[in-house]
Every structure is written in C-alpha cells, then in structure tokens.
Amino acid sequence: MESLQGRVYLVTGGGTGIGAATALRLVELGASVTVLGRRVEPLEAVVAAAERSGGAALAHSGDVRDPAAVQECVDATVARFGRIDGLVNNAAGNFVTPAERLSPNGWRAVVDIVLNGAWNCTSAVGRRLIEAGTPGAVVSVVATYAWTGHPGTVHSAAAKAGVVAMSKSLAVEWARYGIRLNCIAPGPTTTEGAGAALWASAEDHDRVLASVPAGRFGTPEEIGDLTAFLLSDQAGYVTGSVLTADGGQSLGRQVYGSPVADIAGTAAR
Ligand code: HXC
C-alpha cells in the first residue's frame, strides 16, 4: 500500500468499528488523523493506540448532525496538523423496524446522521480544500442496499442512496479542484455497532452469515485497507465509484439446481 506520509484525514465515527480500524490503518501508513464521534472515551482509546504506534491523532467529540460542530472539528484539525487532505464519512445510525412502525423522529435520526452528517462533513472539508487550493479525497461508507433497497431499513437505505448520489454529483462538480469522491459498500462486517443494530440474536447472526457466499463476515481492517487505497494517489483516477466489499452477498445465492460439489467431493457453501 502506498504511504500516506504527511497527509491529514478526518474520520467520522472514528472511535469504534470500521471508523477506528480505518483511522489506525491511515496512521500506520503515515497519515495524521482526527477521529470525530459523540462519545469521547472510544475516541481517546484510538488516539492512544495511534500514539503507541508512533503516529499522531486527535480526538474531537461532536455530532455530525450539527454543521457548527463539524466546522469546529475541521478547524481544530487544521489548527493541530496544519492542513487537511480528506475525509472518511463513516458515522452511521441504524435499526431494523417495519416501515409502518417507523416514527417521524426515527426516520429523521437515521437520515440526519447518515445523509445530512455526510453532507455537513463533505461540504466543510470540501470548502476548506477549495479555499486552500489543495487536492483531496473523500470516501463514504455506504451499503449495497443503497441501490437494492432492503426491507426493515428503509431509513438507512434511503439515506445511503443519498450519500451515493451526493458523492457522484460532487465527483463531477469538484473534479476541477482535484477532489475525488468515492464510496465503499461493505457487507456484514464484524463490528459491535452493526451487530447490535442488525444481527443482535444468534439466530439473526447465523441467518446473515448464511447469506454471504464467501461464508464469513468482513473485518473492519479489510474495509480500512480499501479506504486507504481510495484515499491514496494510487486511486488518483478513481472518482464517483462505489467499491463493494461484501463477500458476494449482494449477488445472492444459488437458487437453481443444487449447490455444486467441489473436486474433493464436499458440498460448496
Ligand atoms: C424503532 C427506534 C429504534 C428501534 C430508535 N428508534 N431505535 N424505533 N426501533 N430499534 C427511534 C426512537 O424511538 C426515536 O423516535 C428515534 O428513533 C430517535 O432515537 P434516539 O435514541 O432519540 O436518537 P439518537 O440518540 O440520535 O440515536 C440515533 C439512533 C441510534 C440511530 C437511533 O441507534 C444511534 O445513535 N446509533 C449509532 C450507532 C449505530 O446505529 N451503528 C450502526 C450502524 S450499522 P421517537 O419517535 O420515539 O422519538 C450500519 C450498517 C449498514 O449502518 C449496512 C450493513 C450491511
């Protein structure tokens, strides 16, 4: 993987799960990172881990739903590290509920975190990059149900679809400033947040696992690696794209005939 030495990134929801793993991967590659989240303790744990590995990180507590708090975070990042090169929109909120039981406030909470939060952060970082005249990159963590839809997560699916459309729109609009915007769509990934929201019981967990042709969940570190790649100059010609990393889940399972036996005679998963 290409070095990110000297680069500075903001990772939202950076205290736990995919955000924390991504922040630490960026630090490992030489970048300095601000982790933004609502709870300060996990953010400070990520900063401590970054510093133990010889890197630099800043914990900033705030809510991505609040444009003023986001601007404060971008300003604090520039004050501490002298610049900013990009953003990882990872903060998310989610729960599974039948749409007919979703309250106006439940819809608003998820759409505000996922879509408005991504916009607040992207516009604050984008404006800063444009003013400074420096190129940059934004990676937003979405989900394949942004384009397939998914029952029980109408709020999250609609919001993630909005993030994909936002990224594609700005990929064209901001190409002249050298700002690239891409998305990553992870499948089920071993994080506490997603687990609690989407597969809380053992039965749900096994059902989700059975839906993945690769036969396993993804890891936060795998998503962190892909994010680092998309932020790096190795992906310099990649913009407006969505990279799916879901073990084949969104492609579905074999439904015609029987699962094919492999050459050792064991049934394929
Ligand atoms: C129905 C629910 C609910 C549930 C909350 N609400 N949980 N409704 N079923 N399980 C409703 C509440 O009743 C309330 O509406 C409204 O949502 C707002 O709830 P609050 O708790 O007041 O809001 P807030 O504190 O802002 O919390 C936001 C949240 C919360 C989204 C509800 O869960 C959160 O902050 N989560 C962050 C972490 C997270 O969810 N991570 C998972 C991301 S995984 P009323 O009407 O009662 O006021 C992910 C992966 C996707 O996104 C792809 C996987 C493949």
Side-chain angles (χ1 to χ4, degrees), residues 38 65 92-95 103 105-106 109-110 113 143 145 186 193-194 198:
R38 282 180 285 173
R65 289 174 280 196
N94 208 352
F95 51 84
S103 71
N105 200 31
V110 170
I113 295 170
Y145 58 47
L198 300 174

Short mmCIF file of all heavy atoms in Angstrom, two decimals, residues 38 65 92-95 103 105-106 109-110 113 143 145 186 193-194 198, ligand 1:
data_model
loop_
_atom_site.label_atom_id
_atom_site.label_comp_id
_atom_site.label_asym_id
_atom_site.label_seq_id
_atom_site.Cartn_x
_atom_site.Cartn_y
_atom_site.Cartn_z
N ARG A 38 -19.44 10.96 18.99
CA ARG A 38 -20.20 11.56 20.09
C ARG A 38 -19.60 11.23 21.45
O ARG A 38 -19.66 12.02 22.36
CB ARG A 38 -21.66 11.09 20.02
CG ARG A 38 -22.46 11.82 18.97
CD ARG A 38 -23.89 11.36 18.92
NE ARG A 38 -24.01 10.06 18.29
CZ ARG A 38 -25.14 9.37 18.23
NH1 ARG A 38 -26.23 9.84 18.78
NH2 ARG A 38 -25.18 8.20 17.62
N ARG A 65 -24.44 15.62 12.88
CA ARG A 65 -25.71 16.26 12.52
C ARG A 65 -25.65 17.77 12.70
O ARG A 65 -26.53 18.48 12.23
CB ARG A 65 -26.85 15.68 13.36
CG ARG A 65 -27.19 14.26 12.99
CD ARG A 65 -28.22 13.65 13.93
NE ARG A 65 -27.62 13.18 15.18
CZ ARG A 65 -28.23 12.35 16.03
NH1 ARG A 65 -29.46 11.95 15.77
NH2 ARG A 65 -27.62 11.94 17.11
N ALA A 92 -22.62 6.42 11.29
CA ALA A 92 -23.93 5.91 10.82
C ALA A 92 -24.82 5.62 12.01
O ALA A 92 -24.36 5.47 13.14
CB ALA A 92 -23.74 4.64 9.99
N GLY A 93 -26.11 5.57 11.75
CA GLY A 93 -27.08 5.15 12.75
C GLY A 93 -28.06 4.23 12.06
O GLY A 93 -28.38 4.44 10.88
N ASN A 94 -28.52 3.23 12.76
CA ASN A 94 -29.37 2.24 12.09
C ASN A 94 -30.14 1.42 13.11
O ASN A 94 -29.69 1.23 14.24
CB ASN A 94 -28.48 1.29 11.28
CG ASN A 94 -29.19 0.71 10.08
OD1 ASN A 94 -30.38 0.91 9.91
ND2 ASN A 94 -28.45 0.00 9.25
N PHE A 95 -31.30 0.97 12.75
CA PHE A 95 -32.02 -0.07 13.49
C PHE A 95 -33.01 -0.68 12.52
O PHE A 95 -33.35 -0.07 11.50
CB PHE A 95 -32.72 0.49 14.75
CG PHE A 95 -33.57 1.70 14.52
CD1 PHE A 95 -34.89 1.56 14.08
CD2 PHE A 95 -33.08 2.97 14.73
CE1 PHE A 95 -35.69 2.68 13.86
CE2 PHE A 95 -33.86 4.10 14.52
CZ PHE A 95 -35.18 3.95 14.07
N SER A 103 -41.23 5.95 13.34
CA SER A 103 -41.78 7.27 13.69
C SER A 103 -41.06 8.36 12.89
O SER A 103 -39.95 8.15 12.40
CB SER A 103 -41.60 7.53 15.19
OG SER A 103 -40.23 7.75 15.48
N ASN A 105 -39.52 10.80 14.00
CA ASN A 105 -38.23 11.08 14.65
C ASN A 105 -37.21 9.97 14.37
O ASN A 105 -36.01 10.23 14.25
CB ASN A 105 -38.45 11.26 16.16
CG ASN A 105 -37.31 11.99 16.82
OD1 ASN A 105 -36.69 12.85 16.18
ND2 ASN A 105 -37.01 11.65 18.06
N GLY A 106 -37.69 8.72 14.25
CA GLY A 106 -36.79 7.60 13.92
C GLY A 106 -36.22 7.78 12.52
O GLY A 106 -35.03 7.57 12.28
N ALA A 109 -33.74 10.73 12.66
CA ALA A 109 -32.47 10.46 13.35
C ALA A 109 -31.49 9.77 12.40
O ALA A 109 -30.32 10.16 12.30
CB ALA A 109 -32.72 9.58 14.58
N VAL A 110 -31.96 8.76 11.68
CA VAL A 110 -31.05 7.99 10.81
C VAL A 110 -30.65 8.81 9.58
O VAL A 110 -29.47 8.87 9.21
CB VAL A 110 -31.69 6.64 10.43
CG1 VAL A 110 -30.89 5.94 9.34
CG2 VAL A 110 -31.80 5.75 11.67
N ILE A 113 -28.14 11.51 10.61
CA ILE A 113 -26.77 11.04 10.87
C ILE A 113 -26.10 10.66 9.54
O ILE A 113 -24.99 11.09 9.24
CB ILE A 113 -26.76 9.82 11.83
CG1 ILE A 113 -27.27 10.21 13.21
CG2 ILE A 113 -25.35 9.23 11.93
CD1 ILE A 113 -27.53 9.04 14.15
N ALA A 143 -23.79 1.12 1.83
CA ALA A 143 -24.21 -0.29 1.92
C ALA A 143 -24.84 -0.63 0.58
O ALA A 143 -25.37 0.25 -0.10
CB ALA A 143 -25.22 -0.48 3.04
N TYR A 145 -27.50 -1.97 -0.03
CA TYR A 145 -28.94 -1.71 -0.11
C TYR A 145 -29.24 -0.26 -0.51
O TYR A 145 -30.39 0.12 -0.64
CB TYR A 145 -29.69 -2.15 1.13
CG TYR A 145 -29.31 -1.60 2.49
CD1 TYR A 145 -29.11 -0.26 2.73
CD2 TYR A 145 -29.24 -2.48 3.58
CE1 TYR A 145 -28.80 0.23 3.98
CE2 TYR A 145 -28.94 -2.01 4.85
CZ TYR A 145 -28.72 -0.65 5.04
OH TYR A 145 -28.43 -0.19 6.30
N PRO A 186 -19.59 -1.94 2.31
CA PRO A 186 -19.24 -3.20 2.99
C PRO A 186 -20.48 -4.08 3.16
O PRO A 186 -21.58 -3.58 3.32
CB PRO A 186 -18.75 -2.76 4.37
CG PRO A 186 -18.72 -1.26 4.37
CD PRO A 186 -19.63 -0.82 3.26
N GLY A 193 -21.35 -2.15 16.59
CA GLY A 193 -22.46 -1.26 16.20
C GLY A 193 -23.40 -1.94 15.23
O GLY A 193 -24.61 -1.98 15.44
N ALA A 194 -22.85 -2.49 14.15
CA ALA A 194 -23.69 -3.15 13.15
C ALA A 194 -24.32 -4.40 13.74
O ALA A 194 -25.50 -4.69 13.50
CB ALA A 194 -22.87 -3.50 11.91
N LEU A 198 -28.21 -4.83 13.62
CA LEU A 198 -28.71 -5.66 12.52
C LEU A 198 -28.74 -7.16 12.77
O LEU A 198 -29.48 -7.87 12.12
CB LEU A 198 -27.88 -5.38 11.25
CG LEU A 198 -27.90 -3.93 10.76
CD1 LEU A 198 -26.94 -3.74 9.61
CD2 LEU A 198 -29.30 -3.52 10.34
C1 HXC B 1 -37.79 1.67 16.35
C2 HXC B 1 -36.31 3.25 17.14
C3 HXC B 1 -35.36 2.23 17.46
C4 HXC B 1 -35.73 0.87 17.19
C5 HXC B 1 -34.52 4.16 17.98
N1 HXC B 1 -35.72 4.41 17.48
N2 HXC B 1 -34.23 2.84 17.98
N3 HXC B 1 -37.50 2.96 16.59
N4 HXC B 1 -36.93 0.62 16.62
N5 HXC B 1 -34.88 -0.13 17.45
C6 HXC B 1 -36.38 5.70 17.36
C7 HXC B 1 -36.62 6.30 18.73
O1 HXC B 1 -37.77 5.75 19.34
C8 HXC B 1 -36.80 7.78 18.39
O2 HXC B 1 -38.05 8.06 17.89
C9 HXC B 1 -35.81 7.98 17.25
O3 HXC B 1 -35.53 6.66 16.70
C10 HXC B 1 -34.51 8.60 17.68
O4 HXC B 1 -33.97 7.82 18.72
P1 HXC B 1 -32.93 8.44 19.76
O5 HXC B 1 -32.36 7.33 20.54
O6 HXC B 1 -33.55 9.57 20.49
O7 HXC B 1 -31.87 9.11 18.77
P2 HXC B 1 -30.33 9.19 18.86
O8 HXC B 1 -29.85 9.22 20.27
O9 HXC B 1 -29.94 10.28 17.97
O10 HXC B 1 -29.87 7.79 18.25
C11 HXC B 1 -29.83 7.55 16.88
C12 HXC B 1 -30.00 6.04 16.61
C13 HXC B 1 -29.05 5.24 17.49
C14 HXC B 1 -29.77 5.79 15.14
C15 HXC B 1 -31.44 5.67 16.93
O11 HXC B 1 -29.27 3.85 17.32
C16 HXC B 1 -27.62 5.54 17.21
O12 HXC B 1 -27.15 6.63 17.50
N6 HXC B 1 -26.87 4.63 16.63
C17 HXC B 1 -25.47 4.87 16.27
C18 HXC B 1 -24.76 3.59 16.10
C19 HXC B 1 -25.34 2.70 15.07
O13 HXC B 1 -26.57 2.58 14.91
N7 HXC B 1 -24.49 2.00 14.37
C20 HXC B 1 -24.91 1.00 13.45
C21 HXC B 1 -24.61 1.41 12.11
S1 HXC B 1 -24.53 -0.04 11.13
P3 HXC B 1 -39.29 8.61 18.80
O14 HXC B 1 -40.41 8.78 17.83
O15 HXC B 1 -39.56 7.56 19.84
O16 HXC B 1 -38.80 9.91 19.38
C22 HXC B 1 -24.95 0.38 9.63
C23 HXC B 1 -24.63 -0.72 8.65
C24 HXC B 1 -25.48 -0.71 7.45
O17 HXC B 1 -25.43 1.41 9.33
C25 HXC B 1 -25.13 -1.74 6.41
C26 HXC B 1 -24.85 -3.13 6.85
C27 HXC B 1 -24.62 -4.11 5.74
#
